[in-house]
Amino acid sequence: MTDKVTAPKIRAMKKRGERIVSVTAYDATFGAMADEAGVDLILVGDSVGNVMLGYDTTVPVTLDQIVHHTKATRAGVSRALLVADLPFGSYQVSTAQAMESAICLMKAGADAVKLEGNYSEAIKAMVRAGIPVMGHVGMTPQSVNKFGGFRVQGRGEAADQVVDDAKAIDDAGVFSMVLELVPAELAKVISAEVGAPTIGIGAGPECDGQIQVLHDVLGLSPKVHKHAKRYVSGHECLVDGLRQYSEEVRSSAFPEEKHSF
Ligand code: KIV
């Protein structure tokens, strides 16, 4: 699997009916593992704030932090498309601000950027400048304070707003879009109506692809979300390894002669 994934290739996968596999990563070690596993798209998500930096939300995450994690992840990823998230406050002020932030992330090594919500003018400007853009509609975590919590969006009459946002960013030229925490039936409708591949998280099986937060897939946190599946009991496995190491140091079982010089 040495053929580099590009934004046009991700778009073409929808036409061929091939499911797109995406996961987040925040550093070289895990980026390399996701790449080795054959994941198509790796997102340096602003979820780094929640899962790596201990924040309650993604709101405090800065552009400098995403630049730092993008450089680190780039070092481990060669095949997958590497997408960097534009954090809260780095694109909402103006199209010029959005452009400058997106350029920073591309110079840090991203192949594409992602932003939340219907910022069609900014998306058009980036696409015009040669920057592939991934959209994100439905539950957009940077707006958690407006939503009043991490809640499913687009139920009942609110569905129209999500459909309108998805169509607007599709028209603006996104190469793909995340649909987060929306009813499966709504995600199915949007997936049929937009040209860009839909990448779901908590949006049912009818999206063109799926994205998950690395820590959820690997079970690195003891918490299990309804929209996620733990493929490895990472937390238990790693704590167990660290316990064994602690015991062996305390009992002088480690290091052995073979570990010494
Ligand atoms: O930051 C992130 O991890 C994301 C995914 C949940 C899509 O935006």
Side-chain angles (χ1 to χ4, degrees):
M1 283 209 209
T2 51
D3 51 324
K4 172 91 186 95
V5 181
T6 62
K9 282 187 185 171
I10 293 285
R11 257 194 103 93
M13 287 174 78
K14 174 168 181 147
K15 290 212 178 81
R16 291 198 298 270
E18 275 175 48
R19 290 293 195 236
I20 299 156
V21 183
S22 321
V23 74
T24 65
Y26 316 98
D27 65 16
T29 304
F30 285 101
M33 285 189 204
D35 213 27
E36 190 181 329
V39 166
D40 302 307
L41 185 157
I42 296 175
L43 171 68
V44 183
D46 60 358
S47 52
V48 68
N50 307 76
V51 300
M52 301 288 289
L53 306 175
Y55 304 158
D56 289 336
T57 73
T58 57
V59 173
V61 175
T62 66
L63 187 61
D64 284 348
Q65 286 171 327
I66 300 289
V67 165
H68 173 82
H69 286 279
T70 299
K71 285 181 181 166
T73 311
R74 174 80 280 167
V77 174
S78 51
R79 177 189 171 268
L81 187 80
L82 186 67
V83 182
D85 233 349
L86 283 157
F88 178 67
S90 72
Y91 60 95
Q92 290 92 343
V93 176
S94 65
T95 297
Q97 185 211 24
M99 281 299 299
E100 279 172 17
S101 302
I103 288 167
C104 269
L105 295 182
M106 296 302 283
K107 287 193 184 290
D111 298 317
V113 301
K114 176 169 87 58
L115 56 76
E116 296 184 3
N118 179 3
Y119 285 87
S120 293
E121 290 314 312
I123 293 167
K124 282 183 201 160
M126 289 174 199
V127 173
R128 202 180 311 125
I131 302 172
V133 184
M134 184 177 203
H136 186 157
V137 297
M139 170 64 214
T140 45
Q142 293 173 17
S143 301
V144 62
N145 293 303
K146 180 181 85 178
F147 295 137
F150 295 96
R151 304 211 167 95
V152 172
Q153 300 296 309
R155 283 202 166 117
E157 287 176 7
D160 289 347
Q161 186 61 57
V162 184
V163 173
D164 289 350
D165 287 346
K167 284 184 174 169
I169 63 170
D170 191 42
D171 289 345
V174 295
F175 76 88
S176 65
M177 66 178 79
V178 171
L179 299 184
E180 180 164 355
L181 292 189
V182 296
E185 197 48 43
L186 176 61
K188 183 179 174 185
V189 169
I190 294 173
S191 301
E193 291 198 9
V194 297
T198 57
I199 314 289
I201 173 164
E206 303 286 348
C207 295
D208 300 304
Q210 298 291 326
I211 187 160
Q212 287 283 304
V213 170
L214 180 82
H215 288 52
D216 293 339
V217 173
L218 298 184
L220 293 177
S221 146
K223 194 172 171 183
V224 187
H225 301 287
K226 179 173 165 62
H227 65 262
K229 178 171 170 185
R230 276 172 136 227
Y231 288 84
V232 189
S233 298
H235 176 85
E236 294 77 0
C237 210
L238 296 180
V239 171
D240 191 47
L242 290 167
R243 269 203 194 108
Q244 283 182 42
Y245 165 67
S246 304
E247 277 164 22
E248 291 199 0
V249 170
R250 290 190 182 115
S251 66
S252 298
F254 177 85
E256 296 168 49
E257 210 175 312
K258 66 182 175 191
H259 303 120
S260 306
F261 301 95

